[in-house]
Amino acid sequence: MNAHAASLSALAQSLRARGVVGAGGAGQPLADKLLARPYRTLIINAAQSEPLFSKDWAVLAANAECVLTGARALRDALGLSKVFLATRDEFAGALPELAAAARKHPIALARLPDAYPLGYEKILKREVLGIGIDMVS
């Protein structure tokens, strides 16, 4: 077993042991989903799709380094080629150091327009990756 497969297997085992059961509302356990499909890209959804909530930017303001370190660990364990942290433009003032912190890891910061519902999976993929909404499953 190569190093990538071993780290992916260890990550999957850790997720199962901690009871992580889904991804994006999926009924399939996340560990099984990660092992079954060769993902190449991770999008961290911090687009805050509820207009009166501010949890995404608040978490990033207080814990950006933790989020970015975790994303880098996932990138390495899963052998991903690209990681995006998707936030809305309106958060830029509240997160002035985020772009520099993301570059250190290196994680691409995707600034999205101030529109709703950007947190919806298909719209988020279209905005970040340029994938047509009809082509996304």
Side-chain angles (χ1 to χ4, degrees), residues 64-65 68 91-104 109 111:
E65 190 61 32
L68 295 167
F91 299 155
L95 304 168
E97 306 297 322
L98 187 59
R103 280 191 299 274
K104 284 188 337 187
L109 187 60
R111 297 274 190 197

Side-chain angles (χ1 to χ4, degrees), residues 68-113:
L68 295 167
T69 299
R72 184 172 61 193
L74 278 173
R75 181 192 65 216
D76 295 347
L78 299 174
L80 302 173
S81 56
K82 193 72 172 174
V83 177
F84 293 93
L85 175 59
T87 65
R88 286 203 332 265
D89 281 335
E90 81 177 276
F91 299 155
L95 304 168
E97 306 297 322
L98 187 59
R103 280 191 299 274
K104 284 188 337 187
H105 283 276
I107 293 171
L109 187 60
R111 297 274 190 197
L112 306 175

Side-chain angles (χ1 to χ4, degrees), residues 1 5 17 25 33 35 47 54 58 60-61 82-83 88 96 101 111 122 124 127 135:
M1 178 182 297
K33 190 173 182 179
L35 291 171
S54 58
L60 287 172
K82 193 72 172 174
V83 177
R88 286 203 332 265
R111 297 274 190 197
K122 291 181 180 183
L124 187 65
E127 292 294 320
M135 299 167 52

